[in-house]
């Protein structure tokens, strides 16, 4: 007989590790415990179930070929036992046993193991304000809660909802409820931006604008103080700035790794309670593996321990554990942090560090943003893509990239190559400039937007231009009575003229015109220049420099970025 | 004053190098010569102009912000001179001068240079059969020819057309004429497949089927012997197997680098006539740079000199040359060969070597193909993606990847990360299995198709299953009276039953059923097993192996691959 293996946790990593091990070492005796009744579900699909894209919760528990992944499936098809509704309460590492309790019958059992896998996942950070126990206050990580929220949607019992937390799940849930069910949704985020930690402030404004343009109210930098109810049901959320009516509140303020069982067994955990593993996914006890949302993993860019609770990570780690359970030597070296989220009209995607994260990790970093078409401009379908490359000054090292586009697939195609490089080398800006990407007019421009952002970063790092974000340009413009800036619109003349007709301070001097009209630009005032995407204004900056006008700020991403962030120049 | 620089050639690389140099070293004196009247055009856009997606040929000569790139544009906006209709006839390296002739006036001039750039491009391989000089026989690389073909389309003077050559431009032109103008198109390709050199034979069948399903006749392994005409106009193409009516013939059988000028000047060129350059893009004369379609560049996978005439390559190399003209030290290290092409319903994309190319380069290579959804199966929009990973046995080194999908952007998102790795490291199958890619249900499955193909390759390399292509399965099935194979359909029972009702030799034993029905499978005959995509049949193979049935071939990509290749089992 093979080894006795116990797996604790049956969502993503646990079943994956067990299946992989059974394929490689079919004589293994594996038992998987999960305290819930439904297992092996796509937790990331919950917002799509709430929204109605997914019709039945069982679709989330099914294989791509429509087989329900229940205990019978794993027994018959994969050859291992699954005990649901069964909680493992303790690990005895000396005796190599676990104690488990059937939550339905109360029955306790002690089971021996040769190897143990901890796939205990994470729990949502609980609502920590008064009113958290009111009816219709949910977190969305369990299928049961998802079912309840979907029911509220279908029965039209929630006309307004508040989502607390502007991260992935919170925003996906907000979009699902507003878009599919017409619910009035407000998002309250404590940090000063949505998608904190994964988007720069600049790109986060584009996410906020996409939400607001589609009827979702977004309140950033705002703290929930309490929730109030009527007849035990929530009816209102009170923040430090306002009161918001709500028949439904979804709390999604992050996850806490379920590391207590490991900690109680004397295994090493981080201060946040995440289990520490080596590159073979072994805990401090080599006979005990752990992976997925309960674990801390290494950030390959900073070298520090980090946390990335994503189903895609869990699946990859699960396969590594399965291989190693069967005697292999597979490794999981760490993560760079690659993600995507689709809101209403816009998708966002990124990898590595944002400029703010990089600075917090003591990199002397800048973010360089471009806006460019994702396909040949003469090809009839194309979307404008915003990409922000995060680079370290001095070394030109690339630390991350994030972006925004209406075409989620096309955006992913620009992010994932950088993610691949970040996993293996320390790429430089030149590596992005010369990145060889698939080209044909229906999928890219000959100078792809990914190369363009590398080129732009190289120009900034070489000091060929001083850049400002669209948001900074907008603030300068709005405060033009308090500063001394000279504003230039380098777009084709007619576009700029239309604004100058309203605002004489707006100087429409097209790139074509600036070759002869540079002498209209004062040398004793700072200049802020904008065009449609940043291409023309960069050439205008070089032209002005040739005439000795050098105190010039060029607006990254131009009017496209400004409008995407919700900025508005024309009356 | 700065350096005198002469650039020969004004399509992609020449203007790019000149613009870049002027930005970095604005005191340079640059003159660009081109023998044609139109310059700086997107040559890759020609099929889209023929098809009507692009309405005016000037769109191909315009910037993304609709400025026409003519000599005036380059003079006023970029600060350098462009002389069109002017052919450089000789280079005197000792005197550092070039001789040029104005093709309109006949005027000759001798111009000195400090640095010279050869961007002379490539010419289409000429039609080398009788009838090549008939009217309405074209190659498609010049705008003038494109204009003539478009005119034939608009005036409906060509009801049928033959495209000779099944490469990118040939197929794009075939699609454009058939799809947009309803012309009856036939493609004749001398090699035994379309897209030779970039697609495996297996994937090329999917391209062929996509063309044929949309009314294009495809004749592979067929040689054009002559063209015949009436009144000087082409009316028929005669091959070694048939005669095809045609009022229009487009020859697109590859390119020949324009290296004669360089060769005459004593610069090093390859036996095919391509100019040899180092990683700074310098020719054997360090004051003379060359790049783009006239050059040989290094294949980073094989280490050999190769040739990749793509606009995307030219743009990247042009920037490197521009930087170096201005005193920089930028490098272009070589190419891995990344491309894309969109046909009718399907797009194709790839990088690196195909399995056949790898074998020709003496790698002991196999191609492993999977078919999988490109997004979470519960997400409402998704397409099936075929990916074929080319790997070296023994080392597990990844040599290339190619694929097919209805969603060109989503396919590119899987290919480009591998392209990025191939440029910098020698990736292994494990690197593909653990590749971290952006994940959310609207853009990927938690176990992405790119990871899945890595996993599948690992299983094959480890000897866990013997694989056959869908084409091989189809041939075995069609020749079942001549072989002794036992055929199993492991799809859900009903799907297999429907075929078994027609063909008793088709054994419908679903994956669910095989756990108990394995004893129906004979041990003394080879077994060929198929399912929908390859997932279920792989599990079935493992199940049979546990019962001692090991002479089993598992069909990569399953029925999805078979159908995409035009295979047909049911009556």
């Amino acid at each position: 007989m093979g080894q006795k293996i116990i797996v604790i946790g049956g969502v993503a990593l646990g079943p994956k590790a067990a299946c992989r091990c059974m394929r490689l070492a079919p004589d293994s005796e594996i038992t998987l415990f999960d305290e819930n009744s439904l297992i092996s579900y796509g937790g990331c699909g919950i917002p799509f179930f709430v929204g109605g894209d997914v019709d039945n919760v069982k679709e989330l528990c099914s294989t791509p070929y429509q087989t329900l992944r229940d205990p019978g499936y794993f027994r018959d098809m994969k050859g291992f036992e699954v005990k649901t509704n069964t909680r493992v309460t303790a690990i005895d590492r000396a005796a190599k046993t676990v104690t488990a309790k059937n939550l339905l019958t109360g029955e306790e059992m002690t089971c021996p193991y040769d190897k143990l896998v901890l796939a205990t996942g994470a729990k949502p950070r609980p609502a920590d304000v008064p009113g958290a126990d009111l009816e219709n206050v949910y977190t969305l990580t369990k299928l049961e809660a998802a079912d309840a929220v979907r029911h509220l949607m279908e029965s039209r019992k929630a006309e307004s909802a508040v989502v607390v937390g502007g991260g992935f799940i919170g925003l996906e849930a907000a979009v699902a409820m507003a878009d599919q069910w017409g619910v009035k949704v407000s998002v309250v985020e404590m940090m000063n931006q949505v998608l904190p930690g994964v988007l720069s402030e600049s790109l986060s404004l584009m996410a906020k604008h996409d939400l607001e343009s589609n009827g979702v109210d977004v309140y950033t930098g705002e703290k929930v103080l309490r929730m109030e109810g009527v007849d035990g049901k929530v009816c209102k959320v009170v923040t430090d700035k306002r009161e918001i009516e709500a028949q439904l509140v979804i709390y999604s303020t992050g996850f806490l790794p379920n590391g207590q069982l490991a900690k109680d067994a004397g295994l090493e955990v981080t201060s946040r309670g995440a289990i520490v593993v080596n590159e073979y996914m072994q805990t401090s006890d080599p006979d005990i593996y752990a992976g997925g949302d309960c674990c801390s993993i290494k950030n390959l860019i900073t070298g520090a321990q980090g946390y990335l609770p994503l189903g895609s990570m869990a699946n990859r780690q699960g396969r590594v554990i399965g291989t190693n359970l069967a005697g292999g030597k597979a490794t999981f070296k760490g993560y760079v942090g690659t993600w995507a989220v689709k809101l209403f009209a816009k998708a966002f995607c990124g990898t590595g560090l944002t400029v703010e994260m990089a600075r917090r990790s003591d990199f002397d970093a800048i973010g360089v943003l471009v806006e460019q078409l994702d396909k040949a401009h003469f090809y009839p379908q194309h979307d404008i893509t915003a990409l922000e490359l995060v680079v370290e000054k001095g070394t030109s090292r690339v630390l991350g990239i994030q972006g925004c586009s209406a075409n989620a697939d096309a955006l992913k195609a620009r992010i994932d190559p950088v993610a691949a490089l970040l996993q293996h080398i320390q790429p430089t800006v030149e590596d992005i400039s010369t990145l060889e990407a698939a080209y044909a007019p229906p999928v890219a421009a000959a100078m792809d937007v990914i190369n363009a952002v590398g080129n732009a970063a190289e120009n900034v790092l070489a000091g060929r231009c001083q850049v400002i974000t669209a948001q900074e340009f907008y603030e300068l413009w709005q405060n033009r009575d308090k500063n001394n800036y000279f504003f230039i619109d380098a777009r084709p003349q007619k576009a700029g003229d239309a604004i100058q007709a309203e605002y004489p301070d707006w100087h429409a001097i097209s790139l074509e015109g600036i070759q002869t009209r540079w002498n209209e630009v004062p040398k004793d005032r700072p200049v802020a220049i904008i065009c449609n995407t940043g291409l023309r204004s960069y050439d205008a900056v070089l032209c002005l420099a040739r005439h000795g006008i050098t105190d010039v700020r060029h607006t990254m991403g131009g009017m496209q970025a400004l409008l995407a962030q919700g900025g508005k120049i024309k009356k």
Side-chain angles (χ1 to χ4, degrees), chain A:
Chain A
M1 280 310 292
Q3 300 183 103
K4 279 195 196 324
I5 296 167
I6 289 178
V7 178
I8 308 176
V11 179
L13 180 128
K16 187 88 204 167
C19 289
R20 173 71 175 167
C21 177
M22 286 306 298
R23 282 181 176 142
L24 301 190
D27 61 343
S28 304
E29 270 184 70
I30 303 184
T31 309
L32 184 150
F33 294 100
D34 196 287
E35 62 186 37
N36 296 294
S37 54
L38 289 171
I39 55 162
S40 198
Y41 55 83
C44 348
I46 288 178
F48 303 91
F49 168 68
V50 167
D53 276 337
V54 176
D55 207 50
N56 189 303
V57 83
K58 296 222 159 153
E59 282 182 57
L60 299 180
C61 303
S62 298
T63 67
Y65 41 90
Q66 273 98 49
T67 309
L68 183 65
R69 284 182 301 230
D70 60 7
Y73 166 80
F74 288 111
R75 184 184 56 239
D76 296 341
M77 307 288 289
K78 306 290 179 177
F80 64 89
E81 284 301 308
V82 175
K83 295 186 185 298
T84 52
N85 300 303
T86 306
R87 178 180 292 158
V88 172
T89 53
I91 301 165
D92 184 338
R93 287 169 53 204
K96 292 187 95 165
T97 60
V98 303
T99 307
K101 183 177 178 175
N102 184 314
L103 298 179
L104 304 179
T105 64
E107 180 198 356
E108 288 223 346
M109 55 200 117
T110 299
C111 310
Y113 68 80
D114 297 310
K115 295 274 190 285
L116 178 64
V117 179
L118 303 178
T120 46
K123 56 178 168 295
R125 194 184 291 276
D128 51 356
V129 295
D133 54 352
L134 286 165
E135 204 175 315
N136 298 338
V137 177
Y138 292 102
T139 59
L140 258 195
T141 51
K142 293 263 187 268
L143 291 183
E144 292 79 358
D147 235 351
V149 172
R150 168 77 175 259
H151 180 72
L152 275 178
M153 296 291 111
E154 285 182 340
S155 60
R156 311 274 165 184
K157 281 188 180 147
E159 287 179 3
S160 58
V162 167
V163 172
V164 183
F168 297 137
I169 293 187
L171 296 190
E172 283 176 340
V175 169
M177 294 189 291
D179 197 32
Q180 310 260 11
W181 300 104
V183 171
K184 175 69 203 174
V185 181
S186 307
V187 174
V188 180
E189 165 59 53
M190 201 171 63
M191 308 290 280
N192 63 357
Q193 65 165 83
V194 294
L195 296 170
V198 295
L199 278 188
S200 68
E201 194 187 335
S202 198
L203 284 170
S204 81
L205 290 173
M206 298 186 189
K208 184 167 186 260
H209 182 59
D210 185 49
L211 292 164
E212 290 176 340
S213 308
N214 289 278
V216 172
D217 290 332
V218 181
Y219 304 114
T220 52
E222 201 158 323
K223 201 170 152 44
V224 172
L225 299 180
R226 65 178 183 278
M227 290 173 277
E228 295 179 3
V230 170
D231 300 334
K233 289 183 182 173
V234 73
C235 67
K236 187 192 284 180
V237 172
V238 182
T239 76
D240 53 0
K241 294 193 184 139
R242 79 196 75 231
E243 299 193 346
I244 311 166
E245 189 195 310
Q247 287 93 45
L248 166 65
V249 176
I250 293 178
Y251 247 79
S252 60
T253 54
F255 291 91
L256 300 171
N258 289 325
Q260 194 62 43
L261 193 64
K263 193 176 178 187
D264 290 347
L267 298 174
E268 192 185 344
V269 299
T270 68
S271 57
R272 292 189 62 214
I275 304 170
V276 174
V277 289
N278 64 17
E279 66 177 358
Y280 303 106
M281 303 307 292
Q282 287 166 306
T283 65
S284 50
D285 179 336
D287 288 328
I288 306 183
Y289 292 83
D293 295 3
C294 60
C295 278
S296 167
I297 48 178
K298 186 177 166 186
N299 184 309
L300 293 171
I301 300 169
T302 64
Q305 285 295 309
Y307 187 58
L308 187 69
L310 289 181
S312 50
M313 290 285 128
N315 266 298
R316 289 176 186 80
Q317 295 167 22
R319 192 169 192 271
V320 166
I321 293 176
T323 301
N324 294 345
L325 286 171
K329 275 283 181 191
T331 58
F332 181 86
K333 297 195 173 60
Y335 76 101
V336 296
T338 315
W339 57 270
V341 66
K342 190 176 183 314
L343 301 182
F344 290 96
K346 295 286 175 70
F348 296 81
C349 187
T351 187
L353 310 181
T354 65
V355 62
E356 291 90 353
M357 285 161 74
R359 287 171 184 161
R360 280 200 297 276
S361 296
D362 290 329
F363 289 103
D364 183 13
I366 52 164
V368 176
L369 182 137
V370 300
E371 296 261 359
Q372 194 190 292
L373 297 182
D374 59 357
K375 309 195 191 328
H377 67 275
F378 54 76
Y379 190 72
Q381 294 100 41
H382 48 235
D383 291 289
I384 194 144
T385 300
L387 286 183
E388 182 172 5
L389 192 69
V390 181
V391 296
E392 185 182 36
K393 291 183 201 167
T395 63
S396 294
R397 180 178 165 193
V398 171
L399 302 168
I401 186 167
Q402 295 85 36
C404 166
S405 169
N407 183 331
D409 294 310
L411 179 58
K412 177 178 163 67
R414 274 68 191 187
I415 300 298
D416 282 355
V418 184
L421 291 183
L422 287 170
Q423 284 171 79
H424 288 279
I425 63 169
Q426 292 192 352
T428 65
V429 164
E430 189 178 15
D431 296 329
I432 305 303
S433 281
T434 59
L435 191 77
E436 185 185 323
Y439 167 61
V443 295
M447 180 62 86
D448 193 88
V449 56
I450 184 69
N451 302 126
V453 77
N455 294 347
E458 196 260 344
N459 288 330
V460 173
L461 289 175
R464 284 185 205 112
C465 57
Q466 299 173 68
V467 288
I468 52 175
T469 65
Q471 181 192 4
E472 287 166 339
F473 177 92
Y474 195 52
E475 280 165 16
L476 285 174
W477 172 249
Q478 288 186 304
N479 294 300
R480 60 193 177 279
D481 54 335
K482 301 187 202 78
N483 60 45
N484 192 33
Y485 271 81
F486 185 84
F487 296 90
I488 299 178
D489 183 341
R491 294 180 298 165
Q493 197 59 37
K494 278 186 187 169
D497 284 345
I499 298 180
Q500 193 171 0
E502 291 181 6
Y503 301 102
D505 288 340
W506 187 271
H507 300 94
I509 311 180
S510 72
L511 174 59
E512 293 80 4
I514 212 159
Q515 317 286 334
T516 52
R517 293 175 59 195
W518 57 269
N519 51 4
E520 295 174 28
V521 183
K523 289 194 175 181
D524 58 350
R525 290 169 62 184
V527 175
I529 185 162
I530 196 165
C531 69
N532 189 37
T533 63
L535 271 181
R536 294 165 71 93
S537 63
Y538 175 60
D539 270 341
V541 164
L542 297 180
C543 174
L544 291 174
R546 288 198 286 274
H547 294 99
I549 302 163
T550 54
D551 190 9
V552 182
R553 271 87 180 159
H554 142 66
T555 308
M556 296 184 289
M559 294 293 273
Q560 288 291 337
L562 192 143
L563 296 171
Q565 293 174 350
K568 194 168 174 296
I569 303 284
K570 284 183 81 170
K571 275 172 194 159

